């Protein structure tokens, strides 16, 4: 199975185009992924979204320099160069795309976290939740005493 998740930066704004045969929308753009080591240069990949996702990417207007989380499939394309040789380029077929700023405002339970309290009011502190339920009246069986 080929499934990748990239934390990336939009390097080129998405451009919406349509296929010639059945007018399927396609969004093309470039993303930059930081290098593995601090001294490595960032890698640039072509990203492609198809169908309704392409229109969604275009309407959300992702800007150059914006940090995003891209989920999709990684493929290798062979490109014929004018110099007479073939070059391999990585391409991401996008399945989901999220703004990183939107993801930072949502905690794991899906509730929105308030970044600051209104002026003049103290910030609400969450009430503690018991870590474990109350012990039941019946003891749990000891599975080590089972005769075989």
């Amino acid at each position: 199975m080929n499934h990748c998740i990239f934390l990336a930066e939009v390097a080129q704004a998405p451009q919406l185009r349509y296929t010639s045969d059945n007018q399927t929308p396609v969004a093309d753009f470039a993303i930059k992924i930081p290098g593995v080591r601090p001294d490595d240069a960032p890698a640039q990949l072509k990203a492609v979204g198809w169908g309704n996702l392409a229109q969604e990417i275009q309407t959300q207007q992702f800007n150059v320099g914006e940090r995003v989380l891209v989920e999709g499939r990684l493929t290798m394309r062979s490109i014929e160069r004018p110099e007479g040789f073939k070059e391999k380029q990585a391409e991401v077929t996008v399945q989901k795309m999220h703004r990183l700023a939107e993801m930072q405002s949502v905690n794991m339970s899906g509730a929105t976290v308030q970044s600051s309290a209104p002026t003049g009011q103290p910030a609400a502190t969450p009430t503690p939740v018991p870590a474990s339920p109350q012990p039941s009246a019946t003891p749990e069986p000891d599975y080590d005493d089972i005769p075989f």
Side-chain angles (χ1 to χ4, degrees):
M1 180 184 338
N2 183 356
H3 187 82
C4 302
I5 298 175
F6 296 103
L7 179 60
E9 180 180 313
V10 177
Q12 177 189 7
Q15 298 176 355
L16 187 65
R17 60 184 176 86
Y18 294 89
T19 59
S20 60
D21 56 348
N22 59 0
Q23 297 299 313
T24 303
V26 180
D28 290 335
F29 58 103
I31 57 173
K32 283 195 293 190
I33 300 168
V36 177
R37 290 182 231 118
D39 57 333
D40 287 346
Q44 188 164 333
L45 299 174
K46 179 181 177 184
V48 179
W50 292 87
N52 293 338
L53 180 64
Q55 292 174 334
E56 187 178 316
I57 289 171
Q58 182 65 27
T59 58
Q60 288 186 6
Q61 297 177 348
F62 290 97
N63 299 320
V64 174
E66 190 172 5
R67 294 179 55 127
V68 293
L69 189 71
V70 178
E71 184 177 343
R73 294 185 328 265
L74 186 64
T75 58
M76 295 299 288
R77 299 279 180 208
S78 184
I79 309 285
E80 186 71 36
R81 299 286 301 194
E83 293 86 12
F85 61 91
K86 290 184 180 181
E87 179 182 2
K88 298 234 183 227
Q89 291 182 346
E91 181 179 296
V92 180
T93 303
V94 179
Q95 294 171 338
K96 293 180 186 174
M97 190 163 162
H98 309 279
R99 281 189 167 83
L100 191 58
E102 291 173 359
M103 296 188 70
Q104 290 175 342
S105 67
V106 176
N107 65 12
M108 294 304 284
S109 65
T112 303
V113 176
Q114 299 261 340
S115 60
S116 63
T119 56
Q121 296 179 357
T125 57
T127 58
V129 178
S132 62
Q134 297 293 331
S136 61
T138 59
E140 292 186 26
D142 186 11
Y143 292 112
D144 291 336
D145 291 336
I146 297 175
F148 288 90

